[in-house]
Amino acid sequence: MLTFIAKRLVQSVLVMLTVALIAFSLFRYVGDPINNMVGQDTSLEEREELKERLGLNDSFLVQFGRFAANAAQGNFGFSYQHRRPVSGLIAERLPATLELSIVSAFLAMAIGIPMGVYTAIRRNSWLSHSFMTLSLVGISLPTFLIGILLILLFGVVLRWLPTFGRGDVVQLGWWSTGLLTASGLKSLIMPSITLALFQMTLIMRLVRSEMLEVLRTDFVKFARARGLAEKYVNFVVALKNTMVPVITITGLQLGSIIAFAIITESVFQWPGMGLLFIQAVGNVDIPIMAAYLVLIAFFFVVINLIVDMLYVVVDPRLRVDSAGGH
Amino acid sequence: MADTTAQNTPKGWLARVADSDLSYSFVRSPVTIVSTIVTILFFISAIFATWIAPHNPFDLASISIMDASLPPAWMEGSDSRFWLGTDDQGRDIFSTIIFGARISLFVGFASVIFSMILGISLGLISGYVGGRLDAFIMRVADIQLSFPAILIALLIDGVARGVLPREMHQDLVFYVLIFAIGISGWVQYARTVRGSTLVEKNKEYVQAARVIGIGPIVILWRHVLPNVMGPVLVIATIHLAIAVITEATLSFLGVGVPPTTPSLGTLIRIGNDFLFSGEWWITIFPGIALVLLVLAINLLGDWLRDALNPKLR
């Protein structure tokens, strides 16, 4: 088990280094960093001097090392567009994105798993069929379109819910939360549903297909034969055995929820990191793009690691046979 | 493959197609028939857009600002010439949708083909050569798979904006987009093809080919490839739906197709600004078109997957 975790750790560090290298190359070679800092009237000598002072004449490895060391401390330099440290900008936006993502992930699981179990148990009921049809529509509806439809219905026609922003936020230290005010919660409803819907259909379909497999196995038949209650068989015996793939996918989906938040934030003008990033892509604001890339990669790597460790907890076979690879 | 086998049998290929399991399950599934019809309608209207669209929305001489923001034909204050209404510049929504779908499908198709070529080649090499190269390619695939496709496409698009000068980027925007969406999707093909190649390469016919001295490229192309195409076709169909959605999303976010040659995503973005003033048709109709297209392709892919999977029969 330790070798399994160690292997994964090494792989994670490799991924982080690769991503940092990409981010650094972006930073250093896409556009001229000096040009982005000084005005038109700066002389050639002054530019050279600035270049020397910033260490841009050092060797590639030295520069990359410096970048990685800075990045590890959360220092990504100044945004070209906002003229402020990137780390401050991201710290301001991070709570908005995380709150939105976590609420959405929770929604997706709380609705997706029971729906999946139901459609597997009652395969041929009309409700299952309509769930399945709806899920296909859900997969075919792009995230931004779901957002637009919700805005049209609840924002423009019915005027029940706010259509943009986070509402009022409460400051808890450096963390700003929208979960403690009525307007903040109201503003969260539409974006979180928009973000959750796709993941929900995914989780539902996954739980369903896993359940169908497990329900066919001998130990479930045997549990039935022993006369255990139907509910116990379905929800404890069977569901427990579908959890390995469900945990993996759900865990990995948390990462893509954060990534898909870019779209949702853009539709609802939600002041999170995704909105910051998409504006940075439009304006070629490289420091923000590089920082976002490293941060997202870090989230992914950490989530992947946690999922791998959960594997070991859930699946006893992995504790014995650690040389099995993946 | 199909035509070589057809020559060996007394029946024509048409009769063979009609007799196959595939057409049997096709005829028995009304949903599939409907989605095929919808897909074909989209393709036809995309190919013949210039003749089918009632107006040319990009001909500045024919559009008039007097016709701007007209509602659909069944609502009050509409004009019967524009049955889905017009946008803020007086362009016919129905025509812009036809031209938009054309661009969406073009970008989608091109990205799928790009992904397919890249993924199949890497998968074949990976499976056939094996060893370190295989380990390396599959590790890269693993890493890429842990990031969502949309993020990779966004990033490549962002980098291209930084690397290319502005005017050049405008000329190359379609290629950049196809490259970005294509790169983000190759892993699925590579993994599937690698798996099938590993199975096929140890079969007798491949060994026989090797023994009589046929080179590895010819073996891969003539012998292995035809046998791994089934699953690839299924992936390609579903990938087309994903590619169309990705393109629409990028365009909606404002980093995809420019407004001068709008795709469905760009149209939805343009219309989104008018949602609050009650002109919902500018954004909703392109949206419906997009969903119909993607849903039809998805259903087709679903059916193809089940029909080609002997386990499910």
Side-chain angles (χ1 to χ4, degrees):
Chain A
M1 176 191 157
L2 268 177
T3 46
F4 176 74
I5 301 280
K7 240 183 180 170
R8 288 297 158 141
L9 259 176
V10 172
Q11 197 186 334
S12 311
V13 171
L14 272 179
V15 172
M16 277 318 293
L17 276 179
T18 317
V19 172
L21 193 67
I22 296 173
F24 169 71
S25 319
L26 265 180
F27 197 62
R28 181 64 191 82
Y29 299 106
V30 174
D32 186 356
I34 300 287
N35 260 345
N36 286 304
M37 278 178 225
V38 297
Q40 291 274 320
D41 48 347
T42 320
S43 73
L44 222 58
E45 291 83 49
E46 282 172 307
R47 280 167 194 254
E48 267 313 311
E49 196 209 301
L50 188 64
K51 216 172 165 182
E52 188 62 48
R53 207 175 68 227
L54 290 171
L56 293 178
N57 289 332
D58 297 344
S59 76
F60 179 84
L61 270 180
V62 173
Q63 286 192 49
F64 177 56
R66 203 182 301 133
F67 174 84
N70 280 334
Q73 293 163 22
N75 182 3
F76 288 96
F78 276 76
S79 150
Y80 298 156
Q81 183 198 358
H82 298 269
R83 309 266 156 204
R84 286 180 48 199
V86 174
S87 50
L89 279 168
I90 288 195
E92 251 170 43
R93 307 281 194 118
L94 189 67
T97 297
L98 282 186
E99 275 181 6
L100 176 63
S101 305
I102 291 169
V103 169
S104 302
F106 179 75
L107 262 182
M109 278 190 281
I111 303 172
I113 294 178
M115 267 168 89
V117 174
Y118 179 83
T119 46
I121 298 171
R122 306 233 183 289
R123 265 182 87 172
N124 292 315
S125 79
W126 64 270
L127 198 61
S128 296
H129 284 296
S130 40
F131 279 165
M132 288 307 286
T133 314
L134 270 180
S135 79
L136 204 64
V137 178
I139 286 177
S140 305
L141 263 176
T143 312
F144 64 92
L145 209 57
I146 298 171
I148 290 176
L149 291 176
L150 286 177
I151 288 181
L152 181 65
L153 183 60
F154 295 106
V156 179
V157 177
L158 296 172
R159 295 185 182 281
W160 286 352
L161 295 168
T163 54
F164 63 89
R166 275 183 94 188
D168 299 322
V169 291
V170 179
Q171 210 69 30
L172 298 172
W174 63 276
W175 187 278
S176 64
T177 179
L179 298 176
L180 297 175
T181 61
S183 75
L185 285 174
K186 257 176 127 177
S187 309
L188 190 60
I189 295 175
M190 285 204 287
S192 58
I193 291 177
T194 306
L195 193 51
L197 213 59
F198 181 77
Q199 318 294 337
M200 196 179 85
T201 53
L202 216 65
I203 291 175
M204 182 196 116
R205 291 187 142 228
L206 181 78
V207 170
R208 175 179 178 273
S209 65
E210 289 297 326
M211 275 294 274
L212 284 177
E213 294 262 309
V214 172
L215 285 176
R216 234 180 273 152
T217 55
D218 288 341
F219 67 87
V220 170
K221 282 183 193 152
F222 183 63
R224 281 223 179 88
R226 274 163 65 202
L228 294 176
E230 192 66 16
K231 259 193 190 137
Y232 183 84
V233 174
N234 287 334
F235 283 92
V236 180
V237 179
L239 188 61
K240 207 164 95 186
N241 281 284
T242 63
M243 278 297 123
V244 174
V246 173
I247 286 176
T248 326
I249 303 285
T250 320
L252 297 179
Q253 287 306 314
L254 191 64
S256 43
I257 282 185
I258 295 174
F260 273 101
I262 298 173
I263 303 161
T264 312
E265 286 176 9
S266 172
V267 175
F268 290 97
Q269 292 298 303
W270 186 264
M273 285 191 310
L275 197 60
L276 188 72
F277 175 70
I278 195 72
Q279 285 161 353
V281 170
N283 297 318
V284 201
D285 196 340
I286 302 289
I288 292 185
M289 280 167 67
Y292 183 83
L293 181 63
V294 172
L295 197 68
I296 284 284
F298 181 70
F299 277 138
F300 271 103
V301 163
V302 170
I303 291 169
N304 269 328
L305 259 181
I306 296 175
V307 167
D308 282 338
M309 288 178 194
L310 276 181
Y311 257 178
V312 182
V313 176
V314 176
D315 190 343
R317 279 168 300 184
L318 274 177
R319 276 174 241 160
V320 189
D321 172 32
S322 57
H326 51 280
Chain B
M1 200 174 85
D3 43 41
T4 52
T5 44
Q7 283 161 7
N8 301 335
T9 49
K11 280 188 203 167
W13 64 272
L14 209 65
R16 277 175 52 86
V17 167
D19 266 354
S20 69
D21 293 344
L22 213 59
S23 52
Y24 175 75
S25 80
F26 181 80
V27 178
R28 280 173 50 99
S29 162
V31 176
T32 312
I33 296 176
V34 172
S35 45
T36 310
I37 294 172
V38 172
T39 313
I40 290 174
L41 279 181
F42 265 105
F43 282 6
I44 291 176
S45 66
I47 294 167
F48 303 106
T50 356
W51 293 283
I52 287 178
H55 303 266
N56 183 353
F58 307 112
D59 178 13
L60 290 175
S62 76
I63 61 172
S64 157
I65 201 76
M66 296 295 287
D67 299 328
S69 303
L70 290 171
W74 57 87
M75 282 170 64
E76 217 168 291
S78 63
D79 187 321
S80 57
R81 283 179 301 156
F82 311 106
W83 72 279
L84 289 183
T86 58
D87 68 5
D88 60 312
Q89 295 171 38
R91 299 186 291 197
D92 175 38
I93 298 280
F94 182 61
S95 306
T96 54
I97 287 177
I98 290 179
F99 279 94
R102 175 192 213 168
I103 288 169
S104 291
L105 275 172
F106 166 69
V107 174
F109 252 109
S111 328
V112 166
I113 289 171
F114 180 63
S115 270
M116 230 164 114
I117 294 174
L118 190 68
I120 291 178
S121 321
L122 287 174
L124 282 174
I125 294 169
S126 200
Y128 197 77
V129 177
R132 275 168 183 253
L133 190 65
D134 175 36
F136 176 73
I137 293 176
M138 282 304 118
R139 190 42 42 88
V140 173
D142 276 349
I143 293 174
Q144 181 172 335
L145 209 60
S146 58
F147 295 92
I150 185 90
L151 197 65
I152 294 167
L154 255 177
L155 205 79
I156 292 174
D157 194 79
V159 173
R161 260 161 220 276
V163 177
L164 302 171
R166 189 169 284 268
E167 308 81 53
M168 214 166 131
H169 183 262
Q170 266 162 10
D171 293 340
L172 295 176
V173 68
F174 280 102
Y175 299 102
V176 170
L177 208 58
I178 290 165
F179 180 76
I181 300 173
I183 281 280
S184 65
W186 66 274
V187 176
Q188 292 285 332
Y189 298 97
R191 284 194 157 186
T192 312
V193 170
R194 174 181 174 269
S196 315
T197 309
L198 283 177
V199 175
E200 295 296 326
K201 84 170 176 186
N202 292 322
K203 288 200 177 153
E204 277 175 7
Y205 70 94
V206 174
Q207 307 221 318
R210 208 180 298 160
V211 166
I212 60 172
I214 296 177
I217 294 175
V218 180
I219 291 183
L220 285 177
W221 179 254
R222 295 260 308 265
H223 300 287
V224 180
L225 187 62
N227 285 301
V228 301
M229 276 317 265
V232 167
L233 212 63
V234 175
I235 299 177
T237 314
I238 293 171
H239 189 204
L240 179 61
I242 296 173
V244 168
I245 285 194
T246 310
E247 182 277 319
T249 306
L250 291 178
S251 297
F252 175 77
L253 293 174
V255 293
V257 178
T260 43
T261 47
S263 72
L264 290 175
T266 324
L267 291 174
I268 296 169
R269 175 188 173 81
I270 297 171
N272 196 25
D273 297 338
F274 300 96
L275 203 57
F276 293 99
S277 49
E279 285 145 12
W280 52 270
W281 56 88
I282 303 177
T283 187
I284 295 300
F285 287 130
I288 292 173
L290 179 67
V291 173
L292 270 181
L293 175 63
V294 172
L295 188 62
I297 300 173
N298 264 337
L299 286 168
L300 215 57
D302 255 21
W303 164 77
L304 202 60
R305 185 180 54 205
D306 292 350
L308 289 179
N309 187 350
K311 268 195 218 157
L312 288 174
R313 275 202 203 120

